[in-house]
Structures are given as C-alpha cells and as structure tokens.
Amino acid sequence: MTADPTALREVMGHFATGVTVVTAMHGAQPVGFTCQSFVSLSLDPPLIAIAPSKATTSWPRIRAADSFCVNVLADSQAELCLAFARSGGDKFDGIDWSPGITGAPVLLRSLAWVECGLEAAHDAGDHELVIGRVRNICTGQGTPLLFYRSRLTRLTA
C-alpha cells in the first residue's frame, strides 16, 4: 500500500520546518536555491543532509562545485526565500553575500550558516538525498523563518 501524494503533502505540511538557501560557486557565478529539507545527520563525523528536488536547475551546478553553504534564514528574510525559490534570473542581484571558507556564498544577515564539502548524493524518488561534511559553521542574530502548511511564518510567543 502506498500513500496518495496529495495526502502525503497535506500531512507533511503539518510539520513546521526551517527555511534555508543552499549556495555555491559555479565557476565565477554564484548559484542557489531555497530548500526546506535540511537536517543535522551526525556529530561524529559532522554531517548534514539536504534534499534538493531533481527538477531544480540550480542543484546540478551546486553539485558540480563539490562544496556548498546552507544558509539558515531569519524571519526577516522572507523576500530572500521567495527570490531563491524562483527559477531563472540572477537570484544574487542586490543580495549581500561574501565568500565563505569553501568559496560558497554566505548570505549576510542569515540566522546561521553551515559550509560543507559534498560527501555523497543518493537517488530519493523525485529528490536527491545529499550528505554534506561540515567544514565551517557560524551563527547570526534573530529568530528563524518557518514553513508551515504551505506558508512562510515565524515564531510567536
């Protein structure tokens, strides 16, 4: 027996997630996409996992870079989230960033960022399950941007 994809989307929408933008350098060009599938995987060795859609045009370029940065978005960065969720165009136009130790763009004013080397990528249906070996980490200020029931939201007291 297999769950109906529409029902699965509805049920999983009841699980709040943080929102990230995954970035890398493809040659001299920065690339990135919005990703809500991000988890800590292992402390020893330090590993994280992301799950990019196979439909994204940014992921193949990031994968080719062999290193990437997961930028955890603050609740003040909803517009940034939407800009990186769109396909095509120069997503970095007007965006403040600086290169991290891997060269991948670190988005300024992010809540946190995790720079990784590509450890492994596995087929996972309409996505890939990507494991990154953590090379550098840092935290910023603020509270997280959340995704819940197909909407961006923030923590409230």
Side-chain angles (χ1 to χ4, degrees):
M1 184 172 172
T2 302
D4 172 65
T6 303
L8 180 60
R9 179 185 290 266
E10 171 67 22
V11 169
M12 294 307 295
H14 285 76
F15 180 68
T17 63
V19 182
T20 71
V21 171
V22 178
T23 59
M25 292 301 292
H26 184 251
Q29 295 298 315
V31 294
F33 66 95
T34 298
C35 181
Q36 73 187 64
S37 299
F38 167 62
V39 296
S40 172
L41 189 60
S42 170
L43 296 176
D44 186 19
L47 303 172
I48 58 90
I50 60 172
S53 169
K54 289 180 180 174
T56 179
T57 58
S58 297
W59 170 242
R61 293 181 284 162
I62 291 172
R63 185 178 185 167
D66 212 35
S67 62
F68 57 92
C69 182
V70 180
N71 297 271
V72 179
L73 299 188
D75 64 3
S76 61
Q77 295 178 301
E79 286 184 27
L80 186 73
C81 167
L82 296 174
F84 278 88
R86 292 185 188 98
S87 186
D90 182 1
K91 297 177 184 180
F92 284 84
D93 185 34
I95 303 298
D96 293 328
W97 65 275
S98 63
I101 64 163
T102 65
V106 173
L107 303 180
L108 302 184
R109 294 177 290 285
S110 291
L111 186 59
W113 54 94
V114 181
E115 292 184 80
C116 300
L118 181 61
E119 185 78 5
H122 306 280
D123 182 64
D126 58 2
H127 285 66
E128 285 189 54
L129 180 60
V130 177
I131 299 170
R133 183 173 292 263
V134 178
R135 301 287 184 221
N136 189 37
I137 53 175
C138 196
T139 59
Q141 298 289 319
T143 55
L145 180 62
L146 300 175
F147 191 72
Y148 178 70
R149 298 187 72 188
S150 300
R151 293 191 335 246
L152 294 173
T153 188
R154 51 184 55 135
L155 292 174
T156 58

